[in-house]
């Protein structure tokens, strides 16, 4: 009896398809892709400098759309249930990161364009990459998703404001234009993705 039950349970176990296994392997190698991209950009900039302007906007919007597809209403419920952790995480996100970007550029006396880039990156919210790194580190992915969601929705206000305050002395920072760009690249794609995700969830299953 036990042998038959064990064999049946073993038969119920689904084997991972080669495509899914390959995708998981590529996902787990995320730090390698980042390092490889950095090396290529430093050694042969022409391979990556073509990717600019509208292409970057579209790529970021598609990334945020994918993030929106993974979000659920329960993510926002989780944020309400742990306000102290979320508030602390967001406060650190929009204080330590921008200040570090500013200090690195100042201490190493980097060129103005590089300083502005460091400050802008520091003023941006967490993204899907942070959730992926959290997953690879076997940390609290749910909390990471909630923090990413909260910081992303606040980015429309904080990113233009902080960038203007920290980088305004280097270059003119059009806070209004940056606000509109953040809406286009971050907030609207996430809302669209979440709406699409909820629409699919509400559809009745096919017979």
């Amino acid at each position: 009896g036990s042998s038959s039950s064990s064999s049946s349970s073993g038969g119920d176990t689904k084997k991972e398809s080669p495509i899914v296994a390959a995708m998981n392997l590529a996902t787990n190698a995320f730090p390698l892709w980042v390092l490889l991209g950095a090396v290529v950009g430093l050694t042969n900039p022409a391979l990556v400098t073509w990717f600019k302007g509208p292409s970057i906007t579209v790529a970021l919007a598609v990334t945020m759309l994918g993030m929106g597809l993974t979000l659920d209403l329960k993510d926002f419920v989780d944020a309400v249930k742990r306000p102290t952790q979320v508030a602390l995480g967001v406060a650190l996100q929009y204080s330590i990161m921008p200040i570090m970007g500013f200090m690195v550029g100042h201490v190493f006396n980097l060129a103005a364009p590089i300083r502005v880039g460091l400050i802008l990156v520091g003023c941006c919210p967490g993204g899907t990459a942070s959730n992926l790194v959290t997953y690879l580190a076997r940390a609290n992915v749910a909390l990471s998703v909630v923090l990413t969601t909260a910081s992303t929705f606040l980015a429309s206000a904080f990113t233009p404001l902080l960038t203007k305050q920290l980088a305004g002395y280097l270059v003119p920072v059009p806070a209004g234009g940056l606000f509109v760009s953040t809406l286009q690249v971050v907030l609207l794609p996430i809302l669209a993705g979440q709406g699409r995700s909820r629409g699919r969830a509400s559809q009745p299953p096919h017979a």
Side-chain angles (χ1 to χ4, degrees):
S2 59
S3 60
S4 60
S5 61
S6 61
S7 61
S8 61
S9 62
D12 292 338
T13 303
K14 293 183 179 180
K15 189 176 181 179
E16 196 176 59
S17 70
I19 296 178
V20 173
M23 292 178 66
N24 287 334
L25 180 62
T27 300
N28 291 333
F30 173 76
L32 178 61
W33 307 133
V34 174
L35 180 61
L36 181 62
V39 171
V40 170
L42 287 172
T43 57
N44 197 342
L47 292 177
V48 294
T49 51
W50 62 268
F51 191 73
K52 57 185 177 181
S55 299
I56 295 178
T57 302
V58 172
L60 289 174
V62 170
T63 301
M64 292 297 104
L65 178 64
M67 179 179 170
L69 289 170
T70 64
L71 295 178
D72 194 75
L73 185 61
K74 66 181 181 63
D75 296 326
F76 300 95
V77 175
D78 289 340
V80 174
K81 289 181 179 178
R82 51 179 82 181
T84 303
Q85 290 175 306
V86 174
L88 179 61
V90 171
L92 294 174
Q93 171 79 43
Y94 286 116
S95 59
I96 293 179
M97 294 289 289
I99 292 173
M100 286 297 296
F102 176 84
M103 291 301 297
V104 169
H106 180 73
V107 170
F108 291 97
N109 195 26
L110 301 176
I114 299 179
R115 287 195 195 188
V116 174
L118 285 173
I119 292 172
L120 182 57
V121 169
C123 294
C124 288
T128 51
S130 64
N131 298 334
L132 176 58
V133 172
T134 302
Y135 168 76
L136 295 177
R138 293 179 173 83
N140 191 333
V141 178
L143 179 58
S144 176
V145 171
V146 172
L147 288 173
T148 299
T149 304
S151 64
T152 299
F153 275 94
L154 291 172
S156 300
F158 281 135
T159 298
L161 177 64
L162 291 172
T163 303
K164 184 175 180 61
Q165 292 297 320
L166 295 175
Y169 76 101
L170 293 169
V171 293
V173 178
L178 190 55
F179 172 76
V180 173
S181 298
T182 307
L183 284 178
Q184 293 174 339
V185 171
V186 178
L187 194 56
L188 295 181
I190 283 184
L191 291 176
Q194 190 188 29
R196 174 64 178 168
S197 179
R198 294 181 65 181
R200 286 189 304 175
S202 62
Q203 291 179 354
H206 296 289

